[in-house]
Amino acid sequence: MDFGKMVGESFGYAKEGLVGKWMKWILLLIATIILMLPLMGYALRVYRGEKPAPEVDKWGTLFIDGIKYLIICLIYAIPLFIVLFLALAPMVTEVMAAGGDPAAVSAALAASIGTFLVGLIILVILAIIIGMFSSIGMVRFARTGSMGEAFNFGAISATIGKIGWVSFIIALIIMGIIMGIIELICMLIPFVGQIISFILIPFITIVEARYICLIYDSAGTA
């Protein structure tokens, strides 16, 4: 898998789709403001492999697709919520049982920190796995129109197997680092950094969606 080529193609796709086409960019910013639902729906169009970047139209469809996108994300997030709860519950219980006494609270935190750290490690590992499955599942949903295909774990596993589990993880890490750097740069810009970060949301969304699309297509799966 040529990671550099995929990153370059993804940024080029977003640049071609938005730079100089400011009305499309503005419409996607409006889509961001409206609970991001239309923007999620737009990402599904990118997942379908449309090239160049699709127009921003049929807002009713964008809303409906965005809601479906959100539902799929929430379902995938359920195991993460459960693990997080199990990791935090002992700590919260111990602190509450301490009755507000500082020494007892400190002792309670020390006693439960090990369980919390183990839970945190499990949470990170689970998040990576879920991120892989949900990404491929979302593309399957986008291309088939069936929400059930987003949870077709057998087909998703087969696709990831063709991509390569290690290659997929590396690909996600690379994009995560790039997006983290962009966000960090925006945070470091005084006063207008948050505004720039908001303006870049449509561009970043398209880059990430196209990147996942290219990873999916590298498996040769329809």
Side-chain angles (χ1 to χ4, degrees):
M1 186 179 292
D2 191 335
F3 303 113
K5 182 178 179 180
M6 289 171 56
V7 169
E9 206 279 347
S10 299
F11 275 88
Y13 178 90
K15 179 181 178 182
E16 180 185 3
L18 291 182
V19 176
K21 301 175 182 177
W22 308 118
M23 183 53 65
K24 182 189 291 187
W25 200 320
I26 290 172
L27 288 173
L28 287 175
L29 284 174
I30 294 173
T32 303
I33 295 172
I34 311 174
L35 301 177
M36 293 192 72
L37 291 175
L39 186 62
M40 294 178 189
Y42 183 84
L44 289 176
R45 292 184 181 177
V46 178
Y47 284 146
R48 294 186 186 111
E50 295 186 27
K51 192 174 181 180
E55 295 299 319
V56 185
D57 54 14
K58 300 179 181 177
W59 284 78
T61 301
L62 289 178
F63 264 104
I64 294 172
D65 284 348
I67 292 172
K68 292 178 180 178
Y69 190 117
L70 180 60
I71 291 172
I72 292 171
C73 288
L74 290 175
I75 293 174
Y76 266 107
I78 289 175
L80 297 178
F81 291 135
I82 293 174
V83 172
L84 182 61
F85 172 79
L86 293 176
L88 287 174
M91 182 179 293
V92 174
T93 301
E94 292 288 342
V95 170
M96 291 179 65
D101 178 67
V105 169
S106 297
L109 289 174
S112 57
I113 192 66
T115 302
F116 174 73
L117 290 177
V118 171
L120 191 60
I121 293 172
I122 295 174
L123 186 67
V124 171
I125 295 173
L126 187 61
I128 294 173
I129 296 173
I130 288 177
M132 296 171 70
F133 273 76
S134 62
S135 297
I136 299 301
M138 200 65 75
V139 179
R140 290 187 62 83
F141 162 57
R143 298 193 178 184
T144 64
S146 169
M147 292 182 68
E149 284 301 311
F151 306 100
N152 187 341
F153 299 119
I156 293 172
S157 295
T159 299
I160 296 176
K162 293 177 182 178
I163 296 169
W165 289 85
V166 175
S167 294
F168 196 3
I169 292 174
I170 294 173
L172 292 179
I173 291 174
I174 289 174
M175 183 53 67
I177 292 174
I178 292 173
M179 292 306 165
I181 292 173
I182 293 174
E183 186 62 31
L184 178 61
I185 292 173
C186 289
M187 290 174 59
L188 293 176
I189 300 176
F191 307 114
V192 297
Q194 290 185 341
I195 296 175
I196 295 174
S197 181
F198 169 73
I199 293 174
L200 287 177
I201 288 176
F203 188 90
I204 290 174
T205 298
I206 293 176
V207 169
E208 291 179 335
R210 181 61 182 171
Y211 189 68
I212 294 298
C213 182
L214 291 175
I215 292 175
Y216 182 90
D217 289 337
S218 71
T221 305

